[in-house]
Each structure stands twice: as C-alpha cells, then as structure tokens.
Amino acid sequence: MMLRDAIFIASKDVKYMLRARETLFWVFVMPIVFFYFIGTITGGFAPGVARKENVALKADESAGFLVEQLALRLEENDYQIVRPETDEEFAAYTRQLVVPAGFTDSVLAGRPVTLQFTRSGEGLGY
C-alpha cells in the first residue's frame, strides 16, 4: 500500500516537473552542452587524439640498416622523426636521440647497445 502511494506521488511529481520548460532545458539540453564543453577542453588528453612529437635522430652511416627500423617503429608510435643535417639544427630540438656508430653490427652480434636520448624543457609536453 505504501509503495503504491509513493509511486503515485512520484509519477505525479515527474508529470508536473516535465511541464515546465526549465526542467526540459536542464534535463535534456544542458547535459549535451556540458559534454561538448568538457570534451572540447579535455580532448587533448585522449589517447587517440595525440599529436606527433618531434624527435631529432642522429646516426652516421656506420650505424647500419637497423636505424631505419628504429625510426619506423618510433613513427608507428606517433613520433615524427627528423634528421637534421647540421649539429646546430640538431641542438634546436627538445627531443634528441643519438644512435652510436656500429649500432646494427653490435645488435646482430648480441652485444648491448646504449642509445642516448635527451630532452629539454619542463612539463608533460616536453
């Protein structure tokens, strides 16, 4: 008996509230506006919307063919590989990757190879 009374009161209350334009506006229109606004503001944090970060790659010819594979793998992971021609251009990038001479020979021989990655700047975007 009490549940039926509560449902009756709730249904009458909902019918009364849905007659008001303000209620319709806040219940149906504003959530769409809020989702659009919050999605636009935080859209850069989504994994699928990441912009490509530049990485300057420095390797001489003796590094071998695996440098190309390394660059390809980095590009597949949303990095844009840039190969500056001069040391001054290389120094201008905030992300720098230096591949040592004999890279391919060392890897194929099973010897460990250390790549040097440096970055400058502060925060998550650097």
Side-chain angles (χ1 to χ4, degrees):
M1 182 83 162
M2 289 180 88
L3 183 61
R4 189 173 20 163
D5 293 339
I7 291 173
F8 175 77
I9 292 172
S11 66
K12 291 295 180 181
D13 194 34
V14 168
K15 287 179 186 176
Y16 175 75
M17 284 183 13
L18 289 179
R19 288 185 191 145
R21 289 183 190 160
E22 301 85 24
T23 303
L24 295 174
F25 178 75
W26 283 104
V27 169
F28 297 108
V29 176
M30 287 310 291
I32 296 170
V33 173
F34 288 146
F35 278 115
Y36 172 77
F37 177 73
I38 292 170
T40 302
I41 296 299
T42 62
F45 298 121
V49 191
R51 73 180 226 281
K52 291 192 174 194
E53 303 290 342
N54 290 334
V55 176
L57 178 63
K58 185 177 187 181
D60 62 20
E61 281 99 38
S62 69
F65 71 91
L66 285 181
V67 173
E68 298 304 322
Q69 288 299 314
L70 175 66
L72 181 65
R73 298 289 191 262
L74 288 171
E75 287 173 346
E76 288 174 354
N77 287 296
D78 292 330
Y79 289 99
Q80 182 174 350
I81 302 302
V82 181
R83 295 185 181 208
E85 296 192 16
T86 64
D87 288 338
E88 292 81 25
E89 290 177 11
F90 183 75
Y93 286 91
T94 58
R95 289 172 198 82
Q96 303 167 346
L97 180 62
V98 179
V99 179
F103 172 68
T104 299
D105 294 334
S106 296
V107 170
L108 293 177
R111 292 188 303 266
V113 179
T114 303
L115 303 178
Q116 181 183 1
F117 177 75
T118 56
R119 74 175 181 99
S120 59
E122 297 176 0
L124 296 175
Y126 289 96

